[in-house]
mmCIF file of all heavy atoms in Angstrom:
data_model
loop_
_atom_site.group_PDB
_atom_site.id
_atom_site.type_symbol
_atom_site.label_atom_id
_atom_site.label_comp_id
_atom_site.label_asym_id
_atom_site.label_seq_id
_atom_site.Cartn_x
_atom_site.Cartn_y
_atom_site.Cartn_z
ATOM 1 N N GLY A 228 13.920 -7.055 24.813
ATOM 2 C CA GLY A 228 15.213 -7.734 24.772
ATOM 3 C C GLY A 228 16.055 -7.311 23.605
ATOM 4 O O GLY A 228 17.188 -7.761 23.422
ATOM 5 N N MET A 229 15.539 -6.427 22.825
ATOM 6 C CA MET A 229 16.321 -5.939 21.596
ATOM 7 C C MET A 229 17.433 -4.984 22.099
ATOM 8 O O MET A 229 17.194 -4.110 22.908
ATOM 9 C CB MET A 229 15.365 -5.149 20.687
ATOM 10 C CG MET A 229 16.051 -4.384 19.597
ATOM 11 S SD MET A 229 14.793 -3.597 18.574
ATOM 12 C CE MET A 229 15.772 -2.284 17.915
ATOM 13 N N LYS A 230 18.627 -5.252 21.644
ATOM 14 C CA LYS A 230 19.761 -4.395 21.986
ATOM 15 C C LYS A 230 20.068 -3.508 20.775
ATOM 16 O O LYS A 230 20.715 -3.926 19.800
ATOM 17 C CB LYS A 230 20.948 -5.260 22.317
ATOM 18 C CG LYS A 230 20.749 -6.128 23.576
ATOM 19 C CD LYS A 230 22.028 -6.722 24.085
ATOM 20 C CE LYS A 230 21.746 -7.555 25.325
ATOM 21 N NZ LYS A 230 21.682 -9.003 25.100
ATOM 22 N N PRO A 231 19.640 -2.262 20.853
ATOM 23 C CA PRO A 231 19.755 -1.358 19.669
ATOM 24 C C PRO A 231 21.196 -1.280 19.094
ATOM 25 O O PRO A 231 21.358 -1.064 17.935
ATOM 26 C CB PRO A 231 19.261 -0.039 20.199
ATOM 27 C CG PRO A 231 18.277 -0.408 21.294
ATOM 28 C CD PRO A 231 18.887 -1.638 21.924
ATOM 29 N N LYS A 232 22.167 -1.481 20.001
ATOM 30 C CA LYS A 232 23.587 -1.420 19.542
ATOM 31 C C LYS A 232 23.859 -2.334 18.340
ATOM 32 O O LYS A 232 24.595 -2.028 17.451
ATOM 33 C CB LYS A 232 24.488 -1.836 20.734
ATOM 34 C CG LYS A 232 25.689 -0.996 20.950
ATOM 35 C CD LYS A 232 26.371 -1.415 22.181
ATOM 36 C CE LYS A 232 27.798 -0.961 22.221
ATOM 37 N NZ LYS A 232 28.442 -1.514 23.391
ATOM 38 N N GLN A 233 23.190 -3.490 18.452
ATOM 39 C CA GLN A 233 23.413 -4.524 17.313
ATOM 40 C C GLN A 233 22.940 -3.958 15.973
ATOM 41 O O GLN A 233 23.309 -4.566 14.981
ATOM 42 C CB GLN A 233 22.660 -5.759 17.666
ATOM 43 C CG GLN A 233 23.275 -6.528 18.860
ATOM 44 C CD GLN A 233 22.402 -7.741 19.204
ATOM 45 O OE1 GLN A 233 21.237 -7.758 18.904
ATOM 46 N NE2 GLN A 233 23.039 -8.676 19.919
ATOM 47 N N PHE A 234 22.089 -2.965 16.037
ATOM 48 C CA PHE A 234 21.467 -2.530 14.758
ATOM 49 C C PHE A 234 22.145 -1.214 14.218
ATOM 50 O O PHE A 234 21.823 -0.800 13.164
ATOM 51 C CB PHE A 234 19.984 -2.284 14.973
ATOM 52 C CG PHE A 234 19.290 -3.549 15.273
ATOM 53 C CD1 PHE A 234 19.065 -3.938 16.635
ATOM 54 C CD2 PHE A 234 18.875 -4.428 14.238
ATOM 55 C CE1 PHE A 234 18.441 -5.126 16.911
ATOM 56 C CE2 PHE A 234 18.185 -5.597 14.593
ATOM 57 C CZ PHE A 234 17.985 -5.974 15.883
ATOM 58 N N LEU A 235 23.034 -0.655 15.052
ATOM 59 C CA LEU A 235 23.625 0.637 14.620
ATOM 60 C C LEU A 235 24.288 0.569 13.308
ATOM 61 O O LEU A 235 24.240 1.499 12.490
ATOM 62 C CB LEU A 235 24.594 1.138 15.717
ATOM 63 C CG LEU A 235 23.951 1.740 16.950
ATOM 64 C CD1 LEU A 235 25.064 2.202 17.922
ATOM 65 C CD2 LEU A 235 23.022 2.860 16.601
ATOM 66 N N ARG A 236 24.944 -0.599 13.017
ATOM 67 C CA ARG A 236 25.653 -0.647 11.734
ATOM 68 C C ARG A 236 24.731 -0.645 10.553
ATOM 69 O O ARG A 236 25.188 -0.381 9.434
ATOM 70 C CB ARG A 236 26.668 -1.813 11.715
ATOM 71 C CG ARG A 236 26.053 -3.182 11.624
ATOM 72 C CD ARG A 236 27.183 -4.191 11.757
ATOM 73 N NE ARG A 236 27.028 -4.960 12.947
ATOM 74 C CZ ARG A 236 26.028 -5.905 13.162
ATOM 75 N NH1 ARG A 236 25.184 -6.148 12.228
ATOM 76 N NH2 ARG A 236 25.978 -6.566 14.259
ATOM 77 N N LEU A 237 23.465 -0.919 10.803
ATOM 78 C CA LEU A 237 22.515 -0.906 9.665
ATOM 79 C C LEU A 237 22.441 0.527 9.085
ATOM 80 O O LEU A 237 22.032 0.716 7.954
ATOM 81 C CB LEU A 237 21.140 -1.232 10.169
ATOM 82 C CG LEU A 237 20.800 -2.704 10.480
ATOM 83 C CD1 LEU A 237 19.348 -2.771 11.014
ATOM 84 C CD2 LEU A 237 20.932 -3.524 9.211
ATOM 85 N N PHE A 238 22.860 1.490 9.851
ATOM 86 C CA PHE A 238 22.664 2.880 9.448
ATOM 87 C C PHE A 238 23.935 3.429 8.758
ATOM 88 O O PHE A 238 24.048 4.604 8.467
ATOM 89 C CB PHE A 238 22.245 3.753 10.620
ATOM 90 C CG PHE A 238 20.998 3.245 11.258
ATOM 91 C CD1 PHE A 238 21.058 2.613 12.487
ATOM 92 C CD2 PHE A 238 19.796 3.427 10.614
ATOM 93 C CE1 PHE A 238 19.870 2.094 13.069
ATOM 94 C CE2 PHE A 238 18.664 2.870 11.174
ATOM 95 C CZ PHE A 238 18.699 2.251 12.418
ATOM 96 N N GLU A 239 24.888 2.549 8.523
ATOM 97 C CA GLU A 239 26.148 3.008 7.892
ATOM 98 C C GLU A 239 26.069 3.223 6.400
ATOM 99 O O GLU A 239 26.658 4.100 5.824
ATOM 100 C CB GLU A 239 27.311 1.972 8.154
ATOM 101 C CG GLU A 239 27.589 1.722 9.614
ATOM 102 C CD GLU A 239 28.091 2.889 10.386
ATOM 103 O OE1 GLU A 239 28.603 3.792 9.667
ATOM 104 O OE2 GLU A 239 27.994 2.967 11.586
ATOM 105 N N ASN A 240 25.207 2.389 5.718
ATOM 106 C CA ASN A 240 25.372 2.325 4.229
ATOM 107 C C ASN A 240 24.252 3.114 3.519
ATOM 108 O O ASN A 240 23.457 2.580 2.760
ATOM 109 C CB ASN A 240 25.324 0.902 3.789
ATOM 110 C CG ASN A 240 26.542 0.164 4.335
ATOM 111 O OD1 ASN A 240 27.635 0.739 4.428
ATOM 112 N ND2 ASN A 240 26.333 -1.083 4.746
ATOM 113 N N GLY A 241 24.228 4.390 3.740
ATOM 114 C CA GLY A 241 23.347 5.231 2.891
ATOM 115 C C GLY A 241 21.878 5.194 3.358
ATOM 116 O O GLY A 241 21.029 5.613 2.524
ATOM 117 N N THR A 242 21.576 4.654 4.499
ATOM 118 C CA THR A 242 20.165 4.670 4.934
ATOM 119 C C THR A 242 19.715 6.104 5.127
ATOM 120 O O THR A 242 20.400 6.920 5.740
ATOM 121 C CB THR A 242 20.074 3.917 6.278
ATOM 122 O OG1 THR A 242 20.450 2.576 6.083
ATOM 123 C CG2 THR A 242 18.610 3.986 6.850
ATOM 124 N N ARG A 243 18.556 6.439 4.568
ATOM 125 C CA ARG A 243 18.011 7.810 4.663
ATOM 126 C C ARG A 243 16.818 7.900 5.613
ATOM 127 O O ARG A 243 16.485 8.951 6.056
ATOM 128 C CB ARG A 243 17.641 8.323 3.302
ATOM 129 C CG ARG A 243 18.889 8.413 2.406
ATOM 130 C CD ARG A 243 18.478 8.813 1.004
ATOM 131 N NE ARG A 243 17.976 10.146 0.938
ATOM 132 C CZ ARG A 243 17.177 10.614 -0.033
ATOM 133 N NH1 ARG A 243 16.862 9.852 -1.001
ATOM 134 N NH2 ARG A 243 16.811 11.864 -0.005
ATOM 135 N N SER A 244 16.221 6.733 5.898
ATOM 136 C CA SER A 244 15.083 6.773 6.848
ATOM 137 C C SER A 244 14.937 5.446 7.536
ATOM 138 O O SER A 244 15.171 4.415 6.914
ATOM 139 C CB SER A 244 13.805 7.156 6.105
ATOM 140 O OG SER A 244 12.725 7.126 7.071
ATOM 141 N N VAL A 245 14.521 5.526 8.794
ATOM 142 C CA VAL A 245 14.137 4.235 9.479
ATOM 143 C C VAL A 245 12.726 4.445 10.006
ATOM 144 O O VAL A 245 12.412 5.421 10.637
ATOM 145 C CB VAL A 245 15.138 3.861 10.600
ATOM 146 C CG1 VAL A 245 15.420 4.947 11.551
ATOM 147 C CG2 VAL A 245 14.663 2.625 11.345
ATOM 148 N N ILE A 246 11.931 3.467 9.709
ATOM 149 C CA ILE A 246 10.524 3.407 10.200
ATOM 150 C C ILE A 246 10.560 2.467 11.370
ATOM 151 O O ILE A 246 10.814 1.262 11.204
ATOM 152 C CB ILE A 246 9.550 2.903 9.120
ATOM 153 C CG1 ILE A 246 9.743 3.567 7.788
ATOM 154 C CG2 ILE A 246 8.127 3.055 9.631
ATOM 155 C CD1 ILE A 246 9.536 5.014 7.662
ATOM 156 N N LEU A 247 10.315 2.938 12.571
ATOM 157 C CA LEU A 247 10.287 2.100 13.738
ATOM 158 C C LEU A 247 8.922 1.651 14.003
ATOM 159 O O LEU A 247 7.972 2.428 13.954
ATOM 160 C CB LEU A 247 10.820 2.893 14.964
ATOM 161 C CG LEU A 247 12.249 3.297 14.931
ATOM 162 C CD1 LEU A 247 12.584 4.281 16.048
ATOM 163 C CD2 LEU A 247 13.170 2.091 15.017
ATOM 164 N N SER A 248 8.732 0.333 14.308
ATOM 165 C CA SER A 248 7.461 -0.139 14.738
ATOM 166 C C SER A 248 7.544 -0.321 16.237
ATOM 167 O O SER A 248 8.108 -1.295 16.721
ATOM 168 C CB SER A 248 7.196 -1.469 13.981
ATOM 169 O OG SER A 248 6.003 -2.004 14.373
ATOM 170 N N GLY A 249 7.055 0.672 16.953
ATOM 171 C CA GLY A 249 7.206 0.710 18.381
ATOM 172 C C GLY A 249 6.031 0.120 19.109
ATOM 173 O O GLY A 249 5.128 -0.446 18.522
ATOM 174 N N PHE A 250 6.040 0.239 20.425
ATOM 175 C CA PHE A 250 4.962 -0.346 21.244
ATOM 176 C C PHE A 250 3.897 0.684 21.451
ATOM 177 O O PHE A 250 4.199 1.869 21.622
ATOM 178 C CB PHE A 250 5.575 -0.790 22.602
ATOM 179 C CG PHE A 250 6.730 -1.695 22.565
ATOM 180 C CD1 PHE A 250 7.963 -1.340 23.128
ATOM 181 C CD2 PHE A 250 6.642 -2.919 21.807
ATOM 182 C CE1 PHE A 250 9.046 -2.216 23.056
ATOM 183 C CE2 PHE A 250 7.759 -3.740 21.768
ATOM 184 C CZ PHE A 250 8.942 -3.428 22.384
ATOM 185 N N GLY A 251 2.691 0.237 21.518
ATOM 186 C CA GLY A 251 1.534 1.080 21.891
ATOM 187 C C GLY A 251 1.559 2.405 21.161
ATOM 188 O O GLY A 251 1.574 2.482 19.976
ATOM 189 N N SER A 252 1.517 3.454 22.005
ATOM 190 C CA SER A 252 1.391 4.768 21.371
ATOM 191 C C SER A 252 2.679 5.344 20.848
ATOM 192 O O SER A 252 2.766 6.537 20.519
ATOM 193 C CB SER A 252 0.750 5.749 22.365
ATOM 194 O OG SER A 252 1.594 5.824 23.531
ATOM 195 N N GLY A 253 3.665 4.478 20.707
ATOM 196 C CA GLY A 253 4.980 4.894 20.144
ATOM 197 C C GLY A 253 6.072 4.811 21.190
ATOM 198 O O GLY A 253 7.108 5.498 21.119
ATOM 199 N N ASN A 254 5.891 3.831 22.125
ATOM 200 C CA ASN A 254 6.852 3.693 23.188
ATOM 201 C C ASN A 254 8.045 2.853 22.831
ATOM 202 O O ASN A 254 7.963 2.016 21.903
ATOM 203 C CB ASN A 254 6.149 3.132 24.422
ATOM 204 C CG ASN A 254 5.118 4.087 24.975
ATOM 205 O OD1 ASN A 254 5.404 5.296 25.109
ATOM 206 N ND2 ASN A 254 3.953 3.599 25.240
ATOM 207 N N PHE A 255 9.101 3.000 23.631
ATOM 208 C CA PHE A 255 10.364 2.198 23.382
ATOM 209 C C PHE A 255 11.157 2.260 24.646
ATOM 210 O O PHE A 255 10.981 3.109 25.489
ATOM 211 C CB PHE A 255 11.112 2.811 22.192
ATOM 212 C CG PHE A 255 11.434 4.272 22.321
ATOM 213 C CD1 PHE A 255 12.554 4.711 22.995
ATOM 214 C CD2 PHE A 255 10.596 5.226 21.820
ATOM 215 C CE1 PHE A 255 12.843 6.090 23.136
ATOM 216 C CE2 PHE A 255 10.765 6.542 21.949
ATOM 217 C CZ PHE A 255 11.963 6.978 22.599
ATOM 218 N N PRO A 256 12.117 1.295 24.818
ATOM 219 C CA PRO A 256 12.893 1.266 26.053
ATOM 220 C C PRO A 256 13.864 2.460 26.107
ATOM 221 O O PRO A 256 14.373 2.924 25.083
ATOM 222 C CB PRO A 256 13.694 -0.008 25.953
ATOM 223 C CG PRO A 256 13.319 -0.684 24.671
ATOM 224 C CD PRO A 256 12.429 0.186 23.930
ATOM 225 N N VAL A 257 14.100 2.943 27.329
ATOM 226 C CA VAL A 257 14.952 4.098 27.509
ATOM 227 C C VAL A 257 16.069 3.824 28.546
ATOM 228 O O VAL A 257 16.808 4.752 28.875
ATOM 229 C CB VAL A 257 14.167 5.340 27.954
ATOM 230 C CG1 VAL A 257 13.276 5.889 26.840
ATOM 231 C CG2 VAL A 257 13.331 5.033 29.239
ATOM 232 N N SER A 258 16.179 2.564 28.998
ATOM 233 C CA SER A 258 17.196 2.370 30.031
ATOM 234 C C SER A 258 18.201 1.263 29.641
ATOM 235 O O SER A 258 17.810 0.305 28.972
ATOM 236 C CB SER A 258 16.588 2.095 31.404
ATOM 237 O OG SER A 258 15.582 1.192 31.285
ATOM 238 N N GLY A 259 19.402 1.468 30.163
ATOM 239 C CA GLY A 259 20.447 0.468 30.026
ATOM 240 C C GLY A 259 20.782 0.114 28.579
ATOM 241 O O GLY A 259 20.637 0.923 27.670
ATOM 242 N N GLU A 260 21.265 -1.100 28.402
ATOM 243 C CA GLU A 260 21.717 -1.513 27.088
ATOM 244 C C GLU A 260 20.512 -1.683 26.078
ATOM 245 O O GLU A 260 20.683 -1.870 24.882
ATOM 246 C CB GLU A 260 22.463 -2.870 27.148
ATOM 247 C CG GLU A 260 21.623 -3.984 27.740
ATOM 248 C CD GLU A 260 22.365 -5.259 27.946
ATOM 249 O OE1 GLU A 260 23.295 -5.549 27.118
ATOM 250 O OE2 GLU A 260 22.036 -6.040 28.832
ATOM 251 N N TYR A 261 19.294 -1.589 26.624
ATOM 252 C CA TYR A 261 18.128 -1.747 25.738
ATOM 253 C C TYR A 261 17.629 -0.401 25.234
ATOM 254 O O TYR A 261 16.729 -0.354 24.403
ATOM 255 C CB TYR A 261 16.986 -2.406 26.474
ATOM 256 C CG TYR A 261 17.399 -3.808 26.976
ATOM 257 C CD1 TYR A 261 17.599 -4.068 28.324
ATOM 258 C CD2 TYR A 261 17.653 -4.857 26.100
ATOM 259 C CE1 TYR A 261 17.959 -5.303 28.782
ATOM 260 C CE2 TYR A 261 18.060 -6.072 26.538
ATOM 261 C CZ TYR A 261 18.223 -6.329 27.861
ATOM 262 O OH TYR A 261 18.614 -7.543 28.256
ATOM 263 N N SER A 262 18.230 0.656 25.780
ATOM 264 C CA SER A 262 17.765 2.000 25.409
ATOM 265 C C SER A 262 17.860 2.261 23.912
ATOM 266 O O SER A 262 18.947 2.001 23.302
ATOM 267 C CB SER A 262 18.486 3.071 26.199
ATOM 268 O OG SER A 262 18.131 4.361 25.719
ATOM 269 N N LEU A 263 16.797 2.821 23.393
ATOM 270 C CA LEU A 263 16.827 3.171 21.925
ATOM 271 C C LEU A 263 17.470 4.564 21.704
ATOM 272 O O LEU A 263 17.680 4.976 20.557
ATOM 273 C CB LEU A 263 15.371 3.110 21.404
ATOM 274 C CG LEU A 263 15.183 3.069 19.899
ATOM 275 C CD1 LEU A 263 15.644 1.711 19.358
ATOM 276 C CD2 LEU A 263 13.717 3.322 19.538
ATOM 277 N N ILE A 264 17.638 5.288 22.804
ATOM 278 C CA ILE A 264 18.028 6.671 22.680
ATOM 279 C C ILE A 264 19.355 6.861 21.868
ATOM 280 O O ILE A 264 19.434 7.701 20.982
ATOM 281 C CB ILE A 264 18.059 7.402 24.053
ATOM 282 C CG1 ILE A 264 16.661 7.405 24.619
ATOM 283 C CG2 ILE A 264 18.644 8.813 23.982
ATOM 284 C CD1 ILE A 264 16.572 7.932 26.077
ATOM 285 N N PRO A 265 20.384 6.044 22.137
ATOM 286 C CA PRO A 265 21.657 6.245 21.337
ATOM 287 C C PRO A 265 21.400 6.078 19.831
ATOM 288 O O PRO A 265 21.966 6.749 19.005
ATOM 289 C CB PRO A 265 22.597 5.143 21.893
ATOM 290 C CG PRO A 265 22.084 4.819 23.242
ATOM 291 C CD PRO A 265 20.640 5.048 23.180
ATOM 292 N N LEU A 266 20.505 5.144 19.493
ATOM 293 C CA LEU A 266 20.190 4.954 18.070
ATOM 294 C C LEU A 266 19.488 6.177 17.521
ATOM 295 O O LEU A 266 19.753 6.618 16.381
ATOM 296 C CB LEU A 266 19.302 3.699 17.942
ATOM 297 C CG LEU A 266 18.989 3.157 16.545
ATOM 298 C CD1 LEU A 266 18.899 1.661 16.530
ATOM 299 C CD2 LEU A 266 17.695 3.727 16.017
ATOM 300 N N LEU A 267 18.565 6.695 18.295
ATOM 301 C CA LEU A 267 17.864 7.907 17.812
ATOM 302 C C LEU A 267 18.858 9.104 17.632
ATOM 303 O O LEU A 267 18.747 9.886 16.717
ATOM 304 C CB LEU A 267 16.721 8.270 18.744
ATOM 305 C CG LEU A 267 15.612 7.218 18.933
ATOM 306 C CD1 LEU A 267 14.506 7.734 19.882
ATOM 307 C CD2 LEU A 267 14.983 6.863 17.553
#
Side-chain angles (χ1 to χ4, degrees):
M229 169 179 154
K230 298 195 179 99
K232 222 174 162 186
Q233 291 176 337
F234 297 92
L235 283 180
R236 74 184 112 73
L237 286 177
F238 303 105
E239 300 295 340
N240 299 323
T242 298
R243 296 175 68 201
S244 177
V245 54
I246 314 294
L247 294 170
S248 179
F250 306 124
S252 59
N254 294 315
F255 54 87
V257 289
S258 47
E260 60 183 328
Y261 303 110
S262 173
L263 196 70
I264 296 172
L266 186 146
L267 298 181

